[in-house]
Amino acid sequence: QVQLVESGGGLVQSGRSLLLTCTASGFALDYWAVGWFRQVPGKEREGLACISSADGSTIYADSVKGRFTISREVGKNTVTLQMNSLKPDDTAVYYCATTLSPPPLAGWGTSAPNRAFGLWGQGTQVTVSS
């Protein structure tokens, strides 16, 4: 079965870190660009970061640049999102998604990149307490 599963969410204090993992099954994730997104109730899903399949280049939303790092785990069919210096505003459900197309270069930090991604995970809740 082709699917993505996110894990690693939870409750954490402001200033601490979490590592989210996106695990693919049924296909080789190395050949797909992978993005991380988040959504809070009443708002559109926001694109946070993306890693390409071609050269491993990365793109970040300004809101997370310097705090979050997206990377591939070689041989594990996973992509991680290391989140440091977490803030209460980072509280959301976090999703990973994939696309075979070159990922969009613009619009990260908005919902614009969403339409480029076709396969989505079910999400994992991240809650940051103040």
Side-chain angles (χ1 to χ4, degrees):
Q1 183 178 3
V2 173
Q3 63 177 358
L4 294 172
V5 177
E6 302 93 340
S7 60
L11 173 63
V12 65
Q13 288 185 322
S14 181
R16 305 297 291 267
S17 300
L18 275 178
L19 177 69
L20 302 185
T21 300
C22 175
T23 302
S25 59
F27 68 104
L29 196 57
D30 287 351
Y31 299 106
W32 297 66
V34 178
W36 280 97
F37 303 77
R38 68 186 178 190
Q39 189 169 23
V40 298
K43 293 190 176 181
E44 292 185 312
R45 192 168 298 183
E46 172 191 17
L48 301 177
C50 182
I51 186 165
S52 75
S53 60
D55 58 4
S57 58
T58 57
I59 308 165
Y60 294 94
D62 287 345
S63 60
V64 303
K65 196 175 296 182
R67 298 190 300 125
F68 291 10
T69 302
I70 187 172
S71 59
R72 293 186 186 272
E73 293 189 305
V74 177
K76 293 186 177 181
N77 217 29
T78 60
V79 168
T80 60
L81 185 69
Q82 176 67 47
M83 306 189 297
N84 298 329
S85 303
L86 284 163
K87 309 172 183 178
D89 284 349
D90 294 318
T91 296
V93 177
Y94 283 70
Y95 300 87
C96 65
T98 62
T99 178
L100 276 174
S101 302
L105 298 179
W108 293 91
T110 74
S111 62
N114 296 0
R115 65 179 69 93
F117 292 80
L119 179 65
W120 292 80
Q122 83 291 347
T124 185
Q125 176 70 46
V126 171
T127 303
V128 184
S129 63
S130 56

